[in-house]
């Protein structure tokens, strides 16, 4: 396994060279680079890299100087948005990111499933989490029809470039749990799979090793984020976990994203790493740092330190037999 970092959130204030130098000093192996969308593109210009051999060479040289690989390109946004202009923009950015990944010899992009409106005349995305009254079930069926059409076509497009699409299961998106992720994959294309981010599953009460087994048995894990979350029982036991308060209201929220190790302990992360290997994922864990209680570089350093100690970097000794 290797350790990666999504550079956008913790290091967006640094220029690319400084960010790469900092990650090299931490012993990080790879970078996940934001190519646009909701997380921005602090360290690369997607269109410049698509158009310019010189720009791609400069990036590759800089990566080599710092002994870093690119493990993924991130383009988190809503490709199913009901606003036609926005949907077209996101679709264009996503397709450009797929082409750029191929140009950079990167085998996956990371994004969201997207979320349509609840009906053809609506203008706002509609997150359906309960089947009744009946119009909500009808809205969900409508949304799935749109999603299957879109991801079938985009999966085939990505296949032409040899690029996987790793969908982050996320609230306010159509796919936010492993069962829905598999449903989308099986209804569309094998290039469509999961970006397994434990943080978004933990607060829903999902058991992460069981989720890994469920997805892994269906060959559905394309990528893994290392992001932690802490459920604060003092609030959650009163109002539940469907919390729509702003992330600046830390003391009031039922849960908060935390630096790795500050939501779940080392044993929990070692179990995740071991279960990933058990199902055949022996690839990158990419730290997506978000933590309202930590300074970014310090929080990232803490996460790297904990995961470096827990990663299994060498191949297993398959010939080992207990005496």
């Amino acid at each position: 396994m290797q350790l990666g970092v999504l550079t956008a959130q913790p290091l967006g204030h640094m220029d690319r060279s400084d960010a790469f130098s900092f990650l090299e000093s931490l012993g990080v192996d790879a970078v996940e680079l934001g190519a646009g969308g909701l997380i921005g593109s602090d360290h690369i210009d997607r269109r410049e890299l698509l158009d310019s051999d010189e720009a791609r060479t400069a990036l590759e040289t800089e990566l080599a100087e710092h002994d870093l690989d690119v493990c993924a390109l991130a383009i988190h946004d809503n490709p199913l948005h009901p606003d036609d202009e926005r949907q077209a923009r996101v679709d264009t950015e996503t397709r450009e990111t797929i082409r750029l990944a191929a140009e950079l010899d990167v085998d996956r992009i990371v994004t969201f499933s997207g979320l349509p409106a609840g009906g053809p005349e609506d203008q706002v995305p509609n997150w359906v989490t309960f089947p009744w009254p009946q119009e909500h079930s009808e809205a969900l069926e409508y949304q799935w029809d749109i999603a299957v059409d879109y991801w079938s076509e985009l999966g085939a497009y990505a296949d032409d470039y040899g690029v996987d699409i790793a969908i982050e299961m996320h609230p306010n998106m159509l796919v936010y749990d492993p069962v829905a992720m598999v449903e989308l994959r099986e209804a569309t294309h094998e290039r469509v799979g999961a970006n397994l981010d434990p943080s978004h599953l933990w607060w829903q009460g999902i058991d992460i090793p069981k989720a890994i087994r469920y997805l892994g048995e269906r060959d559905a894990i394309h990528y893994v984020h290392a992001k932690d979350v802490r459920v604060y029982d003092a609030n959650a036991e009163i109002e539940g976990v469907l919390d729509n308060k702003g992330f600046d209201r830390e003391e009031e929220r039922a849960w908060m994203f935390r630096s790795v190790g500050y939501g779940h302990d080392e044993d929990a992360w070692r179990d995740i790493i071991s279960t990933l290997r058990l199902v055949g994922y022996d690839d990158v864990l990419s730290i997506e740092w978000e933590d309202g209680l930590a300074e970014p570089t310090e929080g990232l350093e803490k996460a790297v330190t904990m995961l470096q100690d827990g990663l299994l970097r060498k191949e297993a000794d398959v010939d080992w037999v207990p005496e």
Side-chain angles (χ1 to χ4, degrees):
M1 289 184 177
Q2 291 185 310
L3 188 61
V5 170
L6 173 57
T7 65
Q9 289 96 327
L11 305 179
H13 62 288
M14 297 183 183
D15 66 29
R16 189 166 77 195
S17 179
D18 288 342
F20 287 1
S21 293
F22 178 68
L23 294 175
E24 181 185 21
S25 74
L26 297 181
V28 170
D29 304 296
V31 288
E32 178 183 341
L33 298 173
L38 297 172
I39 67 168
S41 53
D42 292 310
H43 297 129
I44 60 172
D45 184 317
R46 182 185 68 256
R47 289 183 175 169
E48 180 186 26
L49 287 170
L50 278 171
D51 294 339
S52 169
D53 292 340
E54 183 178 344
R56 291 195 298 274
T57 299
L59 173 61
E60 290 164 357
T61 299
E62 216 169 333
L63 289 162
E65 287 173 351
H66 297 287
D67 197 23
L68 293 168
D69 297 318
V70 180
C71 52
L73 299 181
I75 185 73
H76 297 74
D77 212 321
N78 184 357
L80 306 180
H81 201 285
D83 180 271
D84 290 342
E85 183 176 341
R86 178 168 174 180
Q87 191 280 329
R89 174 180 58 77
V90 174
D91 179 65
T92 296
E93 292 179 353
T94 304
R95 290 171 190 267
E96 288 178 351
T97 301
I98 289 169
R99 298 202 306 272
L100 178 57
E103 289 283 354
L104 297 175
D105 199 25
V106 175
D107 60 3
R108 63 206 147 197
I109 69 164
V110 187
T111 188
F112 295 138
S113 66
L115 184 67
E121 304 303 319
D122 298 347
Q123 296 298 311
V124 178
N126 187 340
W127 190 35
V128 178
T129 60
F130 199 73
W132 185 87
Q134 182 61 29
E135 60 261 32
H136 297 281
S137 290
E138 293 168 358
L140 193 59
E141 182 177 351
Y142 166 81
Q143 291 175 323
W144 271 96
D145 287 343
I146 291 176
V148 168
D149 286 347
Y150 179 82
W151 286 109
S152 296
E153 198 278 328
L154 196 70
Y157 181 87
D159 192 45
D160 289 340
Y161 291 91
V163 174
D164 285 336
I165 301 170
I167 289 179
E168 186 166 335
M169 297 165 280
H170 196 282
N172 276 335
M173 295 292 161
L174 184 64
V175 171
Y176 57 93
D177 67 78
V179 173
M181 182 69 255
V182 169
E183 182 178 350
L184 183 68
R185 175 177 169 81
E186 292 181 346
T188 58
H189 200 282
E190 63 182 7
R191 286 290 181 183
V192 176
N195 169 38
L196 191 139
D197 183 329
S199 68
H200 299 299
L201 307 183
W202 261 321
W203 68 259
Q204 296 180 63
I206 293 172
D207 182 288
I208 306 304
K210 290 178 181 177
I212 292 170
R213 284 177 176 266
Y214 180 83
L215 292 166
E217 288 168 0
R218 293 155 178 83
D219 197 29
I221 301 176
H222 286 341
Y223 195 54
V224 178
H225 269 170
K227 187 167 76 170
D228 215 336
V229 71
R230 178 64 182 266
V231 175
Y232 292 98
D233 292 340
N235 296 328
E237 290 177 357
I238 297 171
E239 60 181 315
V241 294
L242 292 177
D243 196 333
N244 58 14
K245 292 185 292 298
F247 286 103
D248 58 342
R249 297 166 63 182
E250 292 96 344
E251 292 186 10
E252 301 172 57
R253 283 192 53 83
W255 56 268
M256 287 287 295
F257 295 127
R258 297 304 318 274
S259 303
V260 171
Y262 286 81
H264 293 79
D265 63 17
E266 190 171 9
D267 286 346
W269 284 99
R270 287 179 184 271
D271 197 12
I272 288 171
I273 291 165
S274 298
T275 309
L276 286 168
R277 175 166 279 196
L278 189 67
V279 301
Y281 184 90
D282 212 6
D283 206 327
V284 175
L285 266 68
S286 180
I287 297 171
E288 184 186 13
W289 181 89
E290 295 177 12
D291 187 345
L293 301 181
E295 187 275 333
T297 57
E298 182 179 30
L300 181 57
E301 288 173 351
K302 299 289 188 184
V304 169
T305 298
M306 181 169 171
L307 290 173
Q308 289 282 33
D309 189 51
L311 280 184
L312 296 170
R313 292 184 172 274
K314 298 180 180 180
E315 290 187 16
D317 184 356
V318 295
D319 295 326
W320 176 81
V321 178
E323 296 180 356

